Amino acid sequence: MPQIITIDPITRIEGHLSVKVETTNGVVTAAYAAGESFRGFEAILMGRHPLDAQQITQRICGVCPVEHAISSVLAQDQAYGVTPPTQGLLVRNLAQAANFIQSHIVHFYTLSAIDFIDITAVLQYQGRDAALNYLKAWVQSEISSNNYYPAAPFLPRFDGDYLADLALNLGAIRNYLRALEIRSEASKFCAMFAGKLPHVASLVPGGATPRLTARQIQDALVLIRKIRDFIDTAYVPDVIAVAGGFPQYFTYGRGPANYLSYGVFNENGDGTSKLFPSGVMLNGTLSNLDQSQIREYLGRSWFSSASGMHPYQGETTPDTTKPDAYSWLKAPRYGTNVMQVGPLARVLVSYLRGTNAAINTLVPWLLAQTGRTVADLNSVMGRHATRALECKIIADRCDDWVNALVPGATAFSTFTIPSSAAGMGLTEAARGALGHWMQLTGGLVSRYQCVVPTTWNASPRDELGQPGAMEQSLVGTPIASDTSPIEAVRVVRSFDPCLSCAVH
Ligand code: NFE
Ligand code: MG
């Protein structure tokens, strides 16, 4: 008889995810990931003015609002037939890049690293750093209280399952605290271009509204150099150290070898050149993206709408009584293929395309540092490591984009809104491929469908019975303790899931 372990809620992710795994002899043989809330943003948009779309869709999430704004304005650019000027592309790239950077740093340090580094190492800290001494006192009081906090898995029951090296642990703990400050610097950097955070103000169809001064551009340069220094001296080395301490996590979390990237960070006006190119990998073979292949299946999802529709035809009608449904996520597929999206997909597609010089250098460097092959990156550690590499590549490129800004230049092209139109905005969010598909009738939104990164990764089964990417990745994971299934949670967290986005 399989043992059933339910982890509900999964902490240190965004939104509400319940994961149920079946284990036989301590190894996962099946997994079910359930998104636990309905939000209804696609329904909220019906009948509204389209210029509300980039504001309303940002409220899908407080972590990746910028990317929803970008997706929406890209859909509107296409519907209105408008192309932003170069300054507008730069401002959009910089706002979006800043959001990736803060998201990746938060994901590693605040959400994931404490699954791997030994926070109790701080008890041996003897220096005078006030923040570290504060943390030391807190850890001491937690341990003596004997509270078993799900958010703080550093209690004695997990002894022996963390990095053993005291210097590495203390360094990572120091960086955990620095990461809080760098995250806020990245958000400040974002707000320089996007007006405010979260839920930015300046991104509009046709480009962006800021007219930057030379002083603002100079300030942005100072900030991005500080952020780049943190990525180079803390984030990337800490991920490599964690990878070195947990080699088995290059074998846990293997998902389908299918990867989807819409491509992101336009380097020219028509979007044909991107920092991370688009592409589809099916069982290792790379082909060009054909967005008409995108479908959303609803066989096991709580919706009564027609299943298997392209987002230009899809609808979102909730049905809480549907037999056999178990998730509020739809199940996006490429054709009928289950795809992984996210940093791993972007880095692998870019590496195979060979168009990004930094990736051409950094991927072989990563493999040499960790003693791994490209195939091993399809794993828990591969997801963490490619996320860190892409964070470095994006931050380094920001330096060039800031230097290309022209003080006082307009970032905006004018447009008129047609009565009837359609447009799609395909971009990438920190967690993967993000698309908005919009239709207008009588100048108002008559259909709006979002297909979101975590909807791809954490989707439930489809009508063919195929589990989603995260569900497949959990299979094969050894679980040492039924009451503390930390190994399964590490697999889930490697996807950086955001269920708020996924159910939208
Ligand atoms: Ni709520 Fe989001 C990102 C988007 S994930 S965080 O990144 O779109 O599904
Ligand atoms: Mg949707």
Side-chain angles (χ1 to χ4, degrees):
M1 274 292 282
Q3 181 84 17
I4 293 180
I5 306 171
T6 302
I7 312 163
D8 183 7
I10 299 240
T11 55
R12 278 191 275 113
I13 62 166
E14 287 102 10
H16 308 286
L17 173 67
S18 167
V19 166
K20 186 174 79 178
V21 295
E22 296 176 5
T23 62
T24 304
N25 300 324
V27 175
V28 176
T29 48
Y32 296 80
E36 300 192 288
S37 61
F38 174 69
R39 302 185 67 216
F41 274 83
E42 292 157 342
I44 288 169
L45 281 155
M46 300 287 274
R48 295 204 184 245
H49 194 284
L51 290 179
D52 281 347
Q54 80 270 15
Q55 293 303 334
I56 290 176
T57 56
Q58 284 191 69
R59 272 69 187 175
I60 288 172
C61 186
V63 183
C64 66
V66 182
E67 290 94 319
H68 285 289
I70 294 277
S71 209
S72 184
V73 296
L74 288 172
Q76 294 183 65
D77 286 350
Q78 192 180 64
Y80 312 155
V82 60
T83 304
T86 302
Q87 185 93 342
L89 294 175
L90 291 169
V91 168
R92 283 184 180 178
N93 279 354
L94 286 161
Q96 190 170 3
N99 204 239
F100 269 61
I101 292 166
Q102 68 84 19
S103 182
H104 285 0
I105 290 173
V106 166
H107 175 257
F108 181 67
Y109 285 101
T110 313
L111 303 181
S112 295
I114 48 180
D115 288 341
F116 299 103
I117 64 176
D118 182 1
I119 295 275
T120 63
V122 78
L123 297 175
Q124 297 179 61
Y125 177 68
Q126 298 297 337
R128 297 171 66 176
D129 182 298
L132 279 170
N133 279 315
Y134 183 88
L135 187 63
K136 180 179 176 177
W138 180 74
V139 168
Q140 186 60 67
S141 84
E142 281 300 297
I143 288 175
S144 36
S145 79
N146 212 24
N147 270 334
Y148 276 45
Y149 262 29
F154 52 77
L155 296 165
R157 60 187 170 148
F158 289 126
D159 265 356
D161 198 16
Y162 291 106
L163 276 184
D165 186 298
L166 177 64
L168 280 181
N169 280 314
L170 276 177
I173 292 167
R174 193 187 306 270
N175 291 337
Y176 172 93
L177 296 172
R178 281 175 72 202
L180 298 173
E181 181 203 342
I182 295 295
R183 187 226 188 155
S184 101
E185 299 287 56
S187 292
K188 219 183 281 174
F189 184 79
C190 186
M192 286 176 160
F193 305 102
K196 71 183 229 339
L197 264 181
H199 309 131
V200 303
S202 80
L203 303 180
V204 292
T209 53
R211 257 180 211 280
L212 296 161
T213 64
R215 172 66 191 266
Q216 286 172 312
I217 294 170
Q218 182 59 33
D219 288 349
L221 212 45
V222 171
L223 257 190
I224 194 62
R225 299 226 165 128
K226 180 176 179 184
I227 294 164
R228 288 175 61 199
D229 179 65
F230 177 80
I231 295 167
D232 286 341
T233 62
Y235 184 17
V236 172
D238 283 343
V239 171
I240 297 289
V242 166
F246 293 84
Q248 68 275 33
Y249 280 85
F250 276 106
T251 62
Y252 301 169
R254 183 144 301 175
N258 299 336
Y259 305 97
L260 171 69
S261 167
Y262 294 156
V264 67
F265 301 119
N266 285 354
E267 300 275 20
N268 62 359
D270 64 8
T272 49
S273 170
K274 293 177 194 287
L275 180 63
F276 293 92
S278 69
V280 173
M281 281 171 69
L282 292 172
N283 276 317
T285 305
L286 180 68
S287 58
N288 290 338
L289 170 70
D290 171 9
Q291 70 82 31
S292 72
Q293 298 283 323
I294 296 166
R295 295 283 183 278
E296 289 199 297
Y297 292 88
L298 307 179
R300 305 295 301 274
S301 309
W302 278 306
F303 298 100
S304 60
S305 330
S307 181
M309 308 304 277
H310 182 268
Y312 268 143
Q313 275 85 46
E315 292 181 346
T316 305
T317 310
D319 177 3
T320 56
T321 64
K322 188 165 168 176
D324 293 336
Y326 67 93
S327 180
W328 284 106
L329 276 67
K330 296 181 179 180
R333 301 289 185 254
Y334 188 76
T336 56
N337 296 289
V338 179
M339 310 299 289
Q340 291 194 58
V341 301
L344 175 61
R346 283 190 288 266
V347 167
L348 289 181
V349 166
S350 296
Y351 186 55
L352 280 199
R353 289 232 186 263
T355 52
N356 182 307
I359 289 201
N360 296 345
T361 309
L362 283 171
V363 171
W365 174 83
L366 171 67
L367 299 177
Q369 288 287 311
T370 55
R372 295 287 149 180
T373 65
V374 170
D376 294 335
L377 297 178
N378 184 1
S379 62
V380 169
M381 248 354 124
R383 290 188 195 96
H384 285 296
T386 50
R387 190 174 289 116
L389 283 198
E390 106 167 350
C391 192
K392 170 177 170 50
I393 291 163
I394 293 167
D396 289 352
R397 188 77 181 118
C398 279
D399 208 295
D400 306 325
W401 290 329
V402 173
N403 273 307
L405 290 166
V406 177
T410 181
F412 172 72
S413 307
T414 53
F415 56 86
T416 51
I417 301 176
S419 168
S420 292
M424 64 184 163
L426 302 187
T427 186
E428 292 277 319
R431 290 155 191 74
L434 171 65
H436 289 195
W437 283 258
M438 181 188 78
Q439 281 157 282
L440 301 184
T441 308
L444 299 176
V445 174
S446 53
R447 190 189 304 266
Y448 205 104
Q449 290 281 303
C450 309
V451 183
V452 180
T454 300
T455 324
W456 285 98
N457 282 334
S459 70
R461 283 154 175 74
D462 54 34
E463 282 87 331
L464 297 173
Q466 301 181 102
M470 181 191 289
E471 293 177 333
Q472 292 188 31
S473 303
L474 281 159
V475 172
T477 309
I479 307 283
S481 160
D482 290 353
T483 52
S484 301
I486 184 74
E487 302 90 343
V489 179
R490 285 171 172 155
V491 172
V492 170
R493 290 203 183 110
S494 72
F495 286 92
D496 189 6
C498 174
L499 275 292
S500 313
C501 274
V503 297
H504 55 274

